[in-house]
Amino acid sequence: MPEVKVLFVCLGNICRSPAAENIFRDFIDSEGRPIAVHIDSCGTASYHIGEPPDQRMQDRLKAHNHSCQGCARQFKQADFDEFDLIIAMARDNLANLQAHARQPGDSSKLRLFSDFLPDSAPRDIPDPYYGGTKGFDRVITMLEDGCSGILQTLYERAKSE
Ligand code: 4NP
């Protein structure tokens, strides 16, 4: 199976998308099934370029036994060429990405993270930046659920190829 390249995108790339990147990589690493995936994350905004994940997200990811690596970068149009699947955390992030699409092929790579959650789940992964610990924990639980869904989708895609 050829390598699949997955990019998670939020606003600042210090809370939701780096958490998704780390959780998804942890899942892949612990699965033991042969699947080649390149995973990255970025933000649509430039506020936090070069910064590590927010300290609160680092603490909560650690508490949930997840890794927490990476430093923030901003989305660039070349990401449409580099990645196969570009997953926005919320509808405002998706709209920002859609505004950068140059052609239908770019748009066809875009997904909303909640596409990989049950229909009953909220459409957006809530922005935890201005809230407390509970908000970070809730985001982590939603990301764990959705990352399982993404992994399942990739396995099914690989089986049908
Ligand atoms: P993220 O959260 O998009 O999940 O990384 C935010 C980080 C920073 C800001 C907003 C949301 N900010 O306004 O600086």
Side-chain angles (χ1 to χ4, degrees):
M1 182 194 164
E3 185 178 59
V4 184
K5 295 183 178 176
V6 180
L7 180 65
F8 294 102
V9 187
C10 62
L11 176 66
N13 193 210
I14 56 167
C15 297
R16 292 164 292 177
S17 64
E21 175 191 344
N22 279 277
I23 289 168
F24 193 47
R25 191 174 295 114
D26 285 347
F27 279 11
I28 301 264
D29 289 348
S30 66
E31 266 287 310
R33 282 198 261 178
I35 185 161
V37 187
H38 172 73
I39 311 162
D40 196 6
S41 68
C42 67
T44 57
S46 61
Y47 319 137
H48 298 284
I49 290 173
E51 293 179 20
D54 185 284
Q55 188 61 51
R56 296 164 296 173
M57 185 54 97
Q58 289 190 39
D59 293 345
R60 296 321 297 159
L61 281 171
K62 204 171 163 197
H64 289 260
N65 295 313
H66 287 298
S67 320
C68 191
Q69 289 166 357
C71 77
R73 73 166 178 91
Q74 189 172 21
F75 178 80
K76 52 186 190 299
Q77 262 179 334
D79 287 321
F80 281 122
D81 303 319
E82 173 76 10
F83 290 90
D84 304 300
L85 201 50
I86 300 174
I87 303 177
M89 291 295 128
R91 284 168 289 180
D92 54 349
N93 311 131
L94 185 66
N96 277 324
L97 291 170
Q98 244 143 12
H100 283 98
R102 304 154 297 182
Q103 57 201 18
D106 291 349
S107 303
S108 72
K109 297 181 173 185
L110 296 174
R111 299 283 183 284
L112 196 54
F113 189 88
S114 58
D115 292 346
F116 303 95
L117 287 169
D119 290 344
S120 55
R123 305 247 354 250
D124 298 326
I125 303 299
D127 180 353
Y129 189 68
Y130 294 104
T133 303
K134 272 194 185 150
F136 284 85
D137 285 339
R138 177 160 184 252
V139 164
I140 289 170
T141 302
M142 292 176 79
L143 295 178
E144 288 172 337
D145 285 353
C147 284
S148 297
I150 297 168
L151 199 51
Q152 204 52 45
T153 302
L154 295 187
Y155 283 138
E156 276 158 25
R157 199 191 268 194
K159 257 195 285 173
S160 66
E161 273 169 8

